[in-house]
Structure formats: C-alpha cells, structure tokens
Amino acid sequence: MVVGFAIIKDVDRGDGKTSQYLNIYSDWEPEFGASPLETLAQNWRHVELPFIPYQLQHAVVDINGTLDTCFLLSGSDKTMHLYCEDKPNQSFREEPLEPLFPEFADLPSVVLWTNFYKDIPGLRVTALACEGGYIRVSVVDLSLLRVTHVWSTTHDNPVTSVRLFTLGTRLEAPEFVRAALRDPSDLATPCRPPAAAPAGHQRADAVGGVHDASDVVTCSCVCDINMDSRNELVLGTYGQEILVYSLQGNTWAQIWRHSFSQPLLGVTYVDLIGDGINELVVLTNHGLQVLQHDTREAAALCRQRLETLSGLTSGDLARHAYAGRRVPGYRGR
C-alpha cells in the first residue's frame, strides 16, 4: 500500500514564503504486530516540490516492459509531473513525462483536473481541464505512445472538474440474469438518491431546475445513484450543496439536491460497510459525511427485480425464504 499527499507548509523563514512537498507513506518496512495504518504512519518519504501542487492521482505506466503504479501531479509551473518508485532506495523519483504521456505536451495554463478512460483495448482517452478554461480530450495509441486524435475548446472561466464516462453502468451480471434480461429497462425502476437522515427521519426529496450559475463546482463523480442502470452526474459545490443530474431525453435535468453546512471538497459513491449498497461519501471543510440509501426502498427494489427474473411472486419468494430453499437462479435465501 502506498499513499501520497501533496501539501503546502508554512515555513518560518522570514520571507513569508511556503514550502511544498509530496509526502509518500508506504509499508516498505512493516513492523511485527503493527497494523497497516500504523506501518503507513511510521514509514514515509518526502519529495520537495519547486511548484504549487494541484491534482494528485495514480497512473499505471510501462517502464522497461514492467507495469508500475506511479504518481501523476499537476503543478503551478504549467507542467504535469510523473513520480515513480525507486525500489532499491525505497523512495520515489521524477521521471520524464512526455515519452509516456504525450497528451500532456504544450499545456496553455495550470491543469486543475485530469481524467482517464481506459476501457478501449490499446487506447487511452485523456481529458484535462485548465485554470484558463481550456479543455482538451486526447486519444493515445498505447502501442506507439502517440496521440492519434485531439479535441479542444476554451471556456471563459477555470474548469474545476472533467469526467469521461458512459451512460450505461458496467456490472458483470450472472449468466441467469443475462439470459433473462432482454431489455435493460425491464429492471430499471429507479430508487431515490441517498438520504442524510436515518430511516423514519425527514429526508430530502428530488427537485427540478438548474443550479445557480454563479456557484462554483468543486468536485464531481459519475455513478448510478438512483439504481436505474444509467449513470448520473453528482456535483459538489462551494455553495455547500450536492446536485444530481440525470439525462432525460437530450437534456441533463436536476433530480435531487442536498445542502450541507460547509463548502464541499470531494464526493464519491462507494460501498463502505460491505452490505452491497453504495453510500455517498462527501468531504467538506470540516469533515466527512456519509449519506445512505433507505434500505427498505433498496430491499423492495431488489425483491421486484428478483420477481422479474425468476417469474415468482412476492408470496412465492417469501415461502422459499422461509423454507430455506433456493430461489431458481438466486444464490441467497
């Protein structure tokens, strides 16, 4: 496990300037009896940076025929930087970027966000968004490490987030599901987005309209938040709101929003507790908040889809569960 932090430190040097570092925590030297988190905290290295760091992310690169996971960091010097592990010295070193990522050549301004799409064999699609409003999408042939297609545009304001995604979700379904499912819309009854309050408490309802154009989007993610087999856009704003948009016809319409007490810094959709239902995890200025779906709604949706797949009624399913027999094609009870 390797964890990286790009940080800016106030250093008392008398000139009012700061120092920037890429701090890297790892389990290079595990201690007997120590937990993974304790090992990470005790084993760290740092790389001093001559620029202000912006977005830090992982990148998988081929170095001398070996796939390695490195850090990709954008900086105030209008350059992307690549840091790879120096295993003999248990540290990280900066490597030349353009031979491995030719799409980052000739950047017009500071890159605020990058996003990769890698589900096309032999190709990498890269989107980047810049402080000056510039957006570029590039297609890279991985066998030649050469840019084959480029699209770009420029907006009047900084672009804080960019995402590459498909409208449909990509989940591996069991064979009996693929055989029974002729039309994805057969199972596409949506579930309401997560609630901040527990079941039985007041909760936010879906609302329409477009968010205030003067607000600033600080983070985003793409996920099937209402479980209708189509991806939605989830935006977090400096105005302390989560906004969810769904494609309806040819228009992205707002289907849900929720307010917080602090500006939002990050958002993701992940199963934290291992119950098979994702939670919406929101990072604000003052901490982390987790929004959960109403489990009763999720259970009703699961039962409805089981009925569709198995051809059994709710009563049949209940009798099978009570008797401990398996529902045809279903592995649970």
Side-chain angles (χ1 to χ4, degrees), residues 160-177:
T160 56
S161 182
V162 59
R163 296 286 178 181
L164 297 166
F165 64 96
T166 59
L167 288 176
T169 55
R170 300 172 63 90
L171 296 176
E172 283 297 325
E175 182 57 39
F176 78 92
V177 173

Side-chain angles (χ1 to χ4, degrees), residues 12-33:
D12 187 12
R13 300 187 303 189
D15 55 6
K17 294 184 179 180
T18 60
S19 294
Q20 300 80 229
Y21 298 92
L22 172 59
N23 281 14
I24 300 170
Y25 298 80
S26 75
D27 54 1
W28 279 312
E29 299 173 358
E31 294 188 11
F32 179 76

Side-chain angles (χ1 to χ4, degrees), residues 162-280:
V162 59
R163 296 286 178 181
L164 297 166
F165 64 96
T166 59
L167 288 176
T169 55
R170 300 172 63 90
L171 296 176
E172 283 297 325
E175 182 57 39
F176 78 92
V177 173
R178 293 196 292 268
L181 186 58
R182 296 181 177 85
D183 183 351
S185 63
D186 291 342
L187 299 184
T189 303
C191 182
R192 282 188 291 177
H201 290 216
Q202 185 178 3
R203 56 177 294 156
D205 291 323
V207 296
V210 179
H211 74 283
D212 185 352
S214 64
D215 201 357
V216 176
V217 175
T218 54
C219 53
S220 67
C221 73
V222 177
C223 59
D224 180 14
I225 197 170
N226 61 359
M227 305 181 193
D228 66 349
S229 78
R230 290 172 64 84
N231 281 321
E232 286 79 42
L233 297 176
V234 181
L235 307 180
T237 74
Y238 188 79
Q240 307 175 12
E241 287 193 310
I242 280 286
L243 307 172
V244 179
Y245 289 85
S246 174
L247 185 62
Q248 300 180 2
N250 295 321
T251 304
W252 287 93
Q254 187 182 117
I255 62 170
W256 188 72
R257 69 192 301 164
H258 182 78
S259 297
F260 294 81
S261 60
Q262 296 291 330
L264 275 59
L265 303 178
V267 59
T268 188
Y269 190 59
V270 63
D271 183 4
L272 287 178
I273 59 178
D275 63 352
I277 304 175
N278 286 354
E279 287 78 39
L280 190 65

Side-chain angles (χ1 to χ4, degrees), residues 3-333:
V3 179
F5 294 91
I7 62 175
I8 301 173
K9 287 186 177 180
D10 291 325
V11 180
D12 187 12
R13 300 187 303 189
D15 55 6
K17 294 184 179 180
T18 60
S19 294
Q20 300 80 229
Y21 298 92
L22 172 59
N23 281 14
I24 300 170
Y25 298 80
S26 75
D27 54 1
W28 279 312
E29 299 173 358
E31 294 188 11
F32 179 76
S35 69
L37 289 179
E38 290 174 334
T39 301
L40 283 177
Q42 296 169 6
N43 292 276
W44 66 279
R45 308 288 187 273
H46 74 269
V47 178
E48 188 167 3
L49 306 174
F51 54 83
I52 301 295
Y54 283 82
Q55 186 198 22
L56 175 67
Q57 63 175 311
H58 291 103
V60 178
V61 298
D62 186 340
I63 300 178
N64 299 324
T66 301
L67 290 178
D68 201 359
T69 301
C70 304
F71 286 109
L72 195 61
L73 177 63
S74 60
S76 59
D77 55 354
K78 302 180 184 180
T79 302
M80 299 294 296
H81 299 266
L82 182 68
Y83 296 92
C84 299
E85 185 178 5
D86 182 0
K87 293 182 179 179
N89 296 316
Q90 295 186 347
S91 64
F92 276 72
R93 65 179 185 278
E94 185 168 4
E95 295 284 351
L97 177 80
E98 290 188 15
L100 298 171
F101 292 89
E103 64 266 42
F104 290 121
D106 302 321
L107 297 174
S109 61
V110 175
V111 174
L112 298 182
W113 199 266
T114 59
N115 192 226
F116 299 106
Y117 186 81
K118 308 169 189 174
D119 288 348
I120 306 174
L123 299 178
R124 179 176 67 227
V125 183
T126 303
L128 61 88
C130 294
E131 188 178 43
Y134 179 77
I135 296 177
R136 185 164 72 200
V137 178
S138 308
V139 178
V140 179
D141 185 327
L142 295 178
S143 62
L144 302 175
L145 287 176
R146 181 170 59 87
V147 176
T148 59
H149 298 82
V150 177
W151 298 268
S152 64
T153 187
T154 302
H155 294 265
D156 295 332
N157 300 301
V159 180
T160 56
S161 182
V162 59
R163 296 286 178 181
L164 297 166
F165 64 96
T166 59
L167 288 176
T169 55
R170 300 172 63 90
L171 296 176
E172 283 297 325
E175 182 57 39
F176 78 92
V177 173
R178 293 196 292 268
L181 186 58
R182 296 181 177 85
D183 183 351
S185 63
D186 291 342
L187 299 184
T189 303
C191 182
R192 282 188 291 177
H201 290 216
Q202 185 178 3
R203 56 177 294 156
D205 291 323
V207 296
V210 179
H211 74 283
D212 185 352
S214 64
D215 201 357
V216 176
V217 175
T218 54
C219 53
S220 67
C221 73
V222 177
C223 59
D224 180 14
I225 197 170
N226 61 359
M227 305 181 193
D228 66 349
S229 78
R230 290 172 64 84
N231 281 321
E232 286 79 42
L233 297 176
V234 181
L235 307 180
T237 74
Y238 188 79
Q240 307 175 12
E241 287 193 310
I242 280 286
L243 307 172
V244 179
Y245 289 85
S246 174
L247 185 62
Q248 300 180 2
N250 295 321
T251 304
W252 287 93
Q254 187 182 117
I255 62 170
W256 188 72
R257 69 192 301 164
H258 182 78
S259 297
F260 294 81
S261 60
Q262 296 291 330
L264 275 59
L265 303 178
V267 59
T268 188
Y269 190 59
V270 63
D271 183 4
L272 287 178
I273 59 178
D275 63 352
I277 304 175
N278 286 354
E279 287 78 39
L280 190 65
V281 183
V282 181
L283 178 67
T284 72
N285 275 351
H286 282 193
L288 197 68
Q289 298 196 35
V290 179
L291 283 68
Q292 292 181 291
H293 285 280
D294 187 325
T295 54
R296 295 170 299 182
E297 288 187 10
L301 184 62
C302 183
R303 182 176 294 275
Q304 172 194 336
R305 294 180 177 180
L306 276 174
E307 291 175 16
T308 303
L309 290 171
S310 65
L312 299 177
T313 66
S314 297
D316 294 332
L317 288 172
R319 285 192 295 273
H320 276 280
Y322 181 78
R325 298 194 299 270
R326 289 176 177 249
V327 175
Y330 177 53
R331 295 180 180 276
R333 287 192 174 184

